[in-house]
Amino acid sequence: IGPAPATWEVRRLGDDHHIAGGGTPRRSIPEFWDGGTIPWVKTAEVNYSVIQSTAEHITQAGLDNSSAKLLPPGTLLIAMFGQGVTRGRVAILGIEATCNQACAAVQPLNNRINTRFLYHLLTNKYNDLRQLAHGGQQQNLNIDIIRGFRVAVPPTCDEQQEIADILDALDRKINLHRDKKLVLEDIFKALLHGLMSSELSVEDLDLSALPSAEEALV
């Protein structure tokens, strides 16, 4: 499992969690999908985030007539299928939702492992987990592999929470700067078009807040 503090305990995910796959209602039956309001997660949406919305939804009939399960907020999802970068990625549900059979839903059976700590731990163990996949041309993980996956965890929930809090704070900082970068890129593109097409002139702009070239290099 790689280096870990000597005081940490090695556990299998299945020791402390209920782990199960999801399901996909039959696409050929419109009433399983049309007008659906139940969020349905695909592996492409399992991408190191808290999932607050999904591209597709199923109906109650679709839920009742498939192996899909309604999962509570806080459920950890692991992508089991995907030849590219998808396999092995994790996310946490921020809403009540279902997922397809290519996702493993990880729900705690006890208070032994903090879910946010586990999320960050599995993010760090991404390569280790995905290398356990097997199969032919399409290598996949499965429920048994995930249940048997070993992790080292701090002995107390307080220590796990402290580690998760620090990493969560850095995550929020990263997301904030990512959002700012997107806004600045949009502004740049708008100004680029405006200035190059004569829709704007430099005289129209207040540039007093911009740093000088020398200041920008500091």
Side-chain angles (χ1 to χ4, degrees), residues 3 6 11 77 84 115 121 127 142 163 183 197 204 212 215:
R11 309 283 296 177
L77 298 181
T115 298
L121 179 60
N127 287 320
N142 59 43
I163 293 172
V183 171
S197 63
D204 297 326
S212 66
E215 291 171 334

Side-chain angles (χ1 to χ4, degrees), residues 59-143:
T59 64
Q60 185 63 47
L63 177 63
D64 294 339
N65 292 278
S66 72
S67 57
K69 306 167 188 67
L70 197 58
L71 305 167
T75 299
L76 179 72
L77 298 181
I78 302 174
M80 295 189 291
F81 300 176
Q83 196 64 9
V85 298
T86 302
R87 184 180 74 247
R89 294 192 307 198
V90 295
I92 292 179
L93 285 180
I95 55 174
E96 189 175 57
T98 59
C99 65
N100 68 13
Q101 65 275 13
C103 297
V106 181
Q107 298 174 278
L109 294 172
N110 51 48
N111 296 321
R112 181 66 189 80
I113 301 179
N114 178 281
T115 298
R116 290 296 306 181
F117 172 83
L118 182 60
Y119 165 83
H120 291 296
L121 179 60
L122 292 179
T123 298
N124 185 52
K125 294 292 185 180
Y126 167 75
N127 287 320
D128 295 335
L129 180 57
R130 66 182 278 111
Q131 287 172 4
L132 296 176
H134 58 69
Q137 292 183 339
Q138 178 72 28
Q139 292 192 328
N140 299 318
L141 298 168
N142 59 43
I143 297 299

